Amino acid sequence: MSGSTAPPLKVCEFYSGIGGYHIALSRIPALSYHVAAAFEISSNANSIYRANFPNTKVVETNLCGLTAARLDSILSKAGSVTSRGEMMTSRGEMTSPDEMVTSREEVMFVMSPPCQPFTRQGTKKDDLDPRSESVLHLFNIFPDLSSLPDYFLLENVQGFESSNTRKKIMQFFNRHSYHVAEFLLNSNELGIPNSRLRYYLLARRRPFHENLQSVLTKNNDFLSSIPGIQSLPTSASPPLSKFLEADPVGYQLPDKFQGKWGWVLDIVTPSSTRSCCFTKGYSVKAEGSGSVLQLAPDLTDSSLLISDDK
């Protein structure tokens, strides 16, 4: 909305967890937004979310039971209290110039549905997995809302892009004439020292900015980079030390574990500019579940962790 101010973006956060999307929104320069509600079934996650964002309405619910009428009510009752002091003046490369014609409050739905039905090490039951039921239910009730959201942002694991669940969701976007951009992006190419390839979907009622639209027109596949943003080599990422606690007490691996499994561990140091993707097997499985941090300055050879009786 270049050249004019706009009401704050009203956001609904589904599968909100501890507030990852909320903190991401807060780091977008010059974005004025208001999280109308955060929906999450986990009481533990909700306790942390409330501690992080005490002014946000948290709805502890099974999304399979959410109705369009209830969602409409929550959206209509949500005030326009902004989470940033300044009004939005630009949405960058994703914005079409014709958005200057409206000053109404726009709505965005963000979500990261359960990934277990699509993971490489999972059962890959896809839309037959009970954990896919909630996201399919959401896209079944969205058409019954008093007005459709202006924007969607959906994230999931690699594998979601070839799923039946995605195909069903795309039917909603096609039926309601959304403009859609899909990405497979790795965080280690965006200046984050962690390898985490993920699927991202952006959808909006109006056309994208012409720069992005031209890329989408020429490319029918999933984009592996963000137009206008150069992918970075792993060496260009900041070191892990910038993300670590000052004194990570209580996380030391037992000597017995190191002696038995040291030869398969992915070992990184505070100066490393990379680490492996963390999975739910972290701290349970030694191999393929994430990196371990070496703090001992005099231990430079991971082979020293290999036990003779491995």
Side-chain angles (χ1 to χ4, degrees), residues 33-245:
Y33 70 96
H34 167 53
V35 178
F39 298 86
E40 172 60 52
I41 195 171
S42 168
S43 56
N44 289 334
N46 287 334
S47 295
I48 299 173
Y49 192 107
R50 291 187 181 100
N52 289 335
F53 306 103
N55 296 322
T56 298
K57 178 181 179 66
V58 177
V59 182
E60 188 165 314
T61 185
N62 183 336
L63 288 171
C64 291
L66 184 65
T67 65
R70 187 184 182 195
L71 184 52
D72 261 335
S73 176
I74 291 172
L75 286 168
S76 64
K77 292 178 181 178
S80 296
V81 179
T82 63
S83 296
R84 293 289 292 259
E86 46 188 329
M87 299 301 290
M88 177 167 35
T89 57
S90 174
R91 289 192 188 138
E93 291 298 311
M94 301 300 174
T95 304
S96 172
D98 64 5
E99 291 196 34
M100 291 177 61
V101 300
T102 181
S103 60
R104 69 176 179 82
E105 188 173 48
E106 294 185 310
V107 174
M108 179 168 71
F109 287 175
V110 298
M111 62 184 72
S112 292
C115 65
Q116 294 90 338
F118 320 105
T119 57
R120 289 175 298 171
Q121 298 181 359
T123 58
K124 296 185 179 180
K125 291 184 177 180
D126 195 355
D127 55 331
L128 300 180
D129 192 308
R131 289 167 290 192
S132 291
E133 183 180 351
S134 60
V135 69
L136 294 174
H137 170 73
L138 287 177
F139 281 92
N140 282 333
I141 69 169
F142 288 158
D144 297 327
L145 294 171
S146 58
S147 61
L148 291 172
D150 300 276
Y151 309 97
F152 280 89
L153 171 57
L154 184 149
E155 177 269 349
N156 216 286
V157 295
Q158 182 187 21
F160 185 87
E161 75 280 3
S162 58
S163 68
N164 288 328
T165 300
R166 171 194 166 270
K167 292 177 182 177
K168 292 180 178 181
I169 289 173
M170 288 300 295
Q171 291 175 3
F172 165 85
F173 291 123
N174 293 332
R175 189 178 303 121
H176 297 283
S177 302
Y178 276 85
H179 298 265
V180 177
E182 296 175 282
F183 303 81
L184 284 172
L185 303 174
N186 200 324
S187 54
N188 63 12
E189 297 177 348
L190 299 171
I192 304 296
N194 183 252
S195 178
R196 189 176 177 86
L197 182 62
R198 288 296 182 266
Y199 166 88
Y200 297 91
L201 178 147
L202 294 175
R204 47 182 291 144
R205 303 299 303 278
R206 298 179 180 177
F208 290 102
H209 186 282
E210 60 183 10
N211 290 352
L212 176 57
Q213 197 65 50
S214 64
V215 174
L216 295 174
T217 302
K218 298 175 184 176
N219 192 333
N220 294 323
D221 205 353
F222 304 100
L223 300 182
S224 59
S225 62
I226 302 174
I229 297 180
Q230 183 178 1
S231 296
L232 300 173
T234 301
S235 58
S237 297
L240 291 172
S241 58
K242 290 188 175 294
F243 302 86
L244 298 175
E245 296 178 2

